[in-house]
Amino acid sequence: MFADTALTTVDTRPYFERVLCHALQEGLVDGPRLDALRREGAKGIVQLATYFGTPNLRPELEAARTRLVTLVGLALEAESGGKIDVAGRLLRDKTLLALSKAGADRLRKLHALPTERLLGAPEIFRESEKDFLAKCTAETPITYARYLAERAGRERNQHYIDATYWLVGKLGIDREDADEWHVFCESVINSALLVLLTERKAAGLFSVERFMKLHEAARKKRSASFPTLDAWLEDAPPAVRSLLKRETERFVAEVLPVIRDIPATEIYRNQDRFSGLFFFDTSSVSEITHHDKACAEEWTRITGNQGDHTDVQCGVLLMVATGLEPTRSLLKRDATRIWDNFRESGFDEAAIARFIENVVPFEYQSDVRRMWEDDLGPEARQQLDSDDTTLVMNYLQDTCRASWKKKAG
């Protein structure tokens, strides 16, 4: 025995088409109004084709028809709340040109909202308004449901940006200065909350050196309370208050355990793993620790201000890995000793790890570590494990900054 089943069909027609059919069936749009709609539609299509391209090509006119249908449908569904009878009355009372403009205005406001939670987002990364309208109206015509979802996401981004500006303002930082950072809101909020957690008179954000002290203070605190922030939030806008309360809970649940489990040096040095967790204000009085200054000086001494060159880095790493004193340029006798030492005892991975940690500047560490582990180390093991002198010497000369000439032939 079969249960009765009801089949529901989904109307996939554009909303404008559905409204027009309903309005005709219900007598909301009569013959004269239908003629007026045809005239308004023809005019609107030409205007849209002219704005986005040219009215003289058939493909442009066909695309313009899709644009008009999309824009009018968006306005009708938004203004009627999805009630088709209300939308039919709007179609009766308003011109297609007015509805098309209303739909375009909604998309322009949507475009103005941020696509990411980024302070001072450079305009060069923003899609132009015209390209955005073109994409939303013809390339992938936007539905009202997708418009609402996109608007909700972008409004959340705006709320984060507004709350972040409010928070750094309370810490004494001007909005113009914050705009220069070009960083994501979460990292700034985390940094501000770390300051508020550990300091009674919270002001400014932190350099690396100050972070070391804040990190240690946070690890010692038994309770996670933010009395200064709580006092500030009493007079904050409701949206800011709600968002920052949620962010405080997230900080305690997700960020504070990282602080308690991971050393400060590991957090700020290992950006592959902890990128975006905190923002380090390099405009602070002391933006680098004494240890980092010593690293920079030693790196410069070894590489001769050419430490950003890959061939120099490769030569230095291979010398360290085989127990040699690293230099910028490889002598032929250095190459021979690299080969001999490798064949005798392989690479000293611990020496490489110490060198990267203690000598390679912070800004190069992730790339240098990745190069050694993924590229140079595996390749050099294979190339140096050979009895062919010419092959090995040519490999070292091609890979490193070398001071001898390759033999012809």
Side-chain angles (χ1 to χ4, degrees):
M1 184 174 183
F2 297 96
D4 292 338
T5 59
L7 297 178
T8 303
T9 59
V10 178
D11 193 340
T12 59
R13 294 175 299 170
Y15 191 73
F16 170 53
E17 185 178 339
R18 281 184 275 160
V19 172
L20 179 58
C21 290
H22 174 81
L24 289 171
Q25 290 172 358
E26 298 298 321
L28 297 173
V29 170
D30 57 15
R33 177 59 186 141
L34 184 60
D35 290 339
L37 287 173
R38 291 194 180 102
R39 292 192 299 272
E40 293 162 10
K43 185 176 181 181
I45 288 171
V46 171
Q47 287 182 351
L48 288 167
T50 302
Y51 178 73
F52 287 103
T54 172
N56 300 321
L57 297 176
R58 184 179 182 85
E60 295 285 351
L61 290 171
E62 291 175 350
R65 180 188 180 280
T66 301
R67 298 187 199 283
L68 182 69
V69 168
T70 301
L71 292 171
V72 171
L74 180 62
L76 287 171
E77 194 163 4
E79 294 181 29
S80 69
K83 297 177 180 178
I84 200 163
D85 196 58
V86 176
R89 297 178 189 281
L90 288 170
L91 188 61
R92 177 194 64 191
D93 299 335
K94 293 189 175 184
T95 68
L96 289 185
L97 297 180
L99 290 168
S100 174
K101 182 180 182 303
D105 287 344
R106 286 184 178 274
L107 290 181
R108 288 189 174 95
K109 291 178 180 178
L110 179 63
H111 172 265
L113 291 170
T115 57
E116 298 192 67
R117 299 168 185 177
L118 188 66
L119 296 185
E123 284 298 317
I124 191 173
F125 296 136
R126 178 184 284 274
E127 183 180 28
S128 74
E129 182 180 272
K130 189 172 183 178
D131 288 344
F132 178 73
L133 290 172
K135 182 176 68 177
C136 289
T137 54
E139 295 174 23
T140 53
I142 193 167
T143 63
Y144 183 58
R146 185 156 66 88
Y147 162 80
L148 289 177
E150 180 73 14
R151 188 182 69 180
R154 293 189 179 212
E155 285 177 342
R156 282 194 296 272
N157 294 341
Q158 187 64 61
H159 292 157
Y160 265 89
I161 292 170
D162 293 342
T164 305
Y165 280 132
W166 180 90
L167 186 56
V168 298
K170 287 291 187 178
L171 290 170
I173 300 168
D174 291 336
R175 179 174 180 140
E176 292 76 14
D177 293 332
D179 276 338
E180 296 296 321
W181 296 340
H182 305 308
V183 293
F184 288 100
C185 295
E186 287 87 344
S187 64
V188 176
I189 291 173
N190 287 342
S191 299
L193 290 176
L194 178 57
V195 172
L196 288 161
L197 175 68
T198 54
E199 295 186 348
R200 288 186 177 181
K201 295 182 179 180
L205 294 183
F206 45 73
S207 64
V208 170
E209 192 169 16
R210 187 181 175 199
F211 171 69
M212 307 286 282
K213 298 175 182 177
L214 296 176
H215 178 277
E216 183 63 23
R219 298 179 83 172
K220 292 179 179 178
K221 283 186 71 75
R222 293 184 178 180
S223 62
S225 59
F226 304 84
T228 301
L229 178 62
D230 292 339
W232 289 348
L233 289 178
E234 290 179 3
D235 298 323
V240 170
R241 186 186 311 123
S242 175
L243 189 149
L244 288 180
K245 282 186 176 296
R246 292 197 306 271
E247 284 300 295
T248 301
E249 294 171 358
R250 182 189 61 80
F251 180 91
V252 173
E254 300 177 12
V255 180
L256 196 52
V258 173
I259 293 173
R260 288 173 173 161
D261 293 342
I262 308 297
T265 52
E266 176 69 10
I267 292 175
Y268 82 80
R269 288 184 182 282
N270 192 346
Q271 288 302 296
D272 284 347
R273 181 180 176 188
F274 299 108
S275 176
L277 185 62
F278 293 110
F279 167 64
F280 297 99
D281 184 6
T282 56
S283 66
S284 298
V285 176
S286 175
E287 65 183 70
I288 189 168
T289 66
H290 297 301
H291 176 260
D292 288 328
K293 291 178 181 177
C295 284
E297 291 172 0
E298 178 67 5
W299 180 253
T300 300
R301 184 190 67 78
I302 293 171
T303 63
N305 286 319
Q306 295 188 359
D308 57 341
H309 291 233
T310 303
D311 58 344
V312 173
Q313 294 175 0
C314 287
V316 167
L317 290 177
L318 288 174
M319 296 178 84
V320 170
T322 52
L324 304 182
E325 183 68 25
T327 60
R328 178 186 64 185
S329 182
L330 209 64
L331 300 174
K332 191 169 185 179
R333 67 171 179 267
D334 296 326
T336 301
R337 292 176 65 193
I338 287 174
W339 187 26
D340 289 341
N341 291 354
F342 172 79
R343 289 198 292 180
E344 180 179 338
S345 56
F347 289 144
D348 187 343
E349 293 291 343
I352 285 289
R354 288 193 301 271
F355 182 81
I356 292 175
E357 176 70 20
N358 297 320
V359 178
V360 177
F362 168 58
E363 62 267 27
Y364 298 142
Q365 285 186 0
S366 294
D367 290 337
V368 170
R369 185 181 294 109
R370 188 185 304 113
M371 179 179 71
W372 174 258
E373 293 175 352
D374 298 344
D375 299 316
L376 178 61
E379 180 186 78
R381 286 187 184 88
Q382 182 179 358
Q383 295 294 331
L384 297 180
D385 189 17
S386 171
D387 295 325
D388 189 329
T389 302
T390 301
L391 184 150
V392 171
M393 289 298 151
N394 285 346
Y395 166 72
L396 290 172
Q397 187 175 56
D398 292 339
T399 303
C400 309
R401 178 72 60 87
S403 62
W404 76 92
K405 293 183 179 179
K406 186 183 295 185
K407 289 184 178 179

